[in-house]
Amino acid sequence: MRRIKLTVAYDGTDYCGWQIQPNGITVEEVLNRALSRLTGEEIRVIGASRTDAGVHARGNVAVFDTASTVPPERFAYAVNPLLPEDIVVVGAEEVPQDWHPRYQNSVKTYEYHILNREMPDPLRRRESWHVSFPLDLDSMREAAAYLRGEHDFRSFCSIHTGVKTTVRTIYTLDIDRSGNLITIRISGNGFLYNMVRIIAGTLVEVGRGFRTPENVRDILNAEEREKAGATAPPQGLVLVSIAYPERGGC
């Protein structure tokens, strides 16, 4: 029996998130079905990040166990024809049998995309949040500085169920504009439920002048979800990568 690690990209628009659930089709379910068909075994993948409904990924990670003789690096080529066009396995490799994608030291990187112009763009509706009001990027960047480093992010978490601690470390948090597209890029050692979307929603409120940059510091200190901004919609969020430093990459 071998354990195979997959790097998976997907457009999450038409899925009820990653994790299997009774109320709709999920990315995990589709992967299980395709891999089971490929190997002739009952495959159950284990994902590193259980992205929510409508959230996208370029580099989510999953593992599965198999007795198949398919070379590890060929799994991507073999399974992609069995997947819908909005899910692609972009890489595959063998890992130790006890390697688990959620129990390793890792660096997760997300991007949140904001289309900042007066009118929406129908071609970008699946991959960005349309904000029609002008945003002050300097104020947003000033606010973002308070979030870098190790903090208790209880105020930026929707629920705490099953979480041992709400302390996380943000290594980088950058905000850039290219034309009318604003990208919030954030890397850290882990993220709480809806944490990135709440950060994005709060920074947009700063950008609109509804909050001062210093208010973000106060939100952190309050440790109350009600103090932070609204949760930004899911379609703007992309899981860019999950890097495992001990393995020398992602």
Side-chain angles (χ1 to χ4, degrees), residues 136-148 173 175 203 206 212-217:
D136 182 343
L137 260 64
D138 289 336
S139 293
M140 293 172 68
R141 289 169 179 147
E142 186 178 346
Y146 290 107
L147 298 173
R148 298 189 188 102
L173 204 177
I175 305 171
L203 291 177
V206 172
T212 65
E214 293 77 17
N215 183 236
V216 171
R217 175 193 57 205

Side-chain angles (χ1 to χ4, degrees), residues 1-51:
M1 191 70 68
R2 298 178 300 158
R3 176 157 288 192
I4 305 299
K5 170 177 171 282
L6 304 178
T7 302
V8 187
Y10 48 87
D11 176 343
T13 304
D14 298 326
Y15 297 95
C16 295
W18 169 274
Q19 191 173 17
I20 290 177
Q21 52 187 283
N23 64 335
I25 191 74
T26 66
V27 177
E28 182 181 30
E29 178 182 350
V30 173
L31 270 176
N32 285 344
R33 191 163 58 219
L35 289 165
S36 297
R37 180 180 171 190
L38 174 66
T39 63
E41 305 165 298
E42 185 176 347
I43 299 296
R44 293 291 180 266
V45 300
I46 302 170
S49 183
R50 298 167 179 172
T51 52

Side-chain angles (χ1 to χ4, degrees), residues 154-155 211 219 223-229:
R154 184 177 297 270
S155 294
R211 299 174 182 269
I219 293 170
E223 298 182 9
E224 297 178 24
R225 169 65 186 96
E226 294 77 14
K227 300 294 185 181

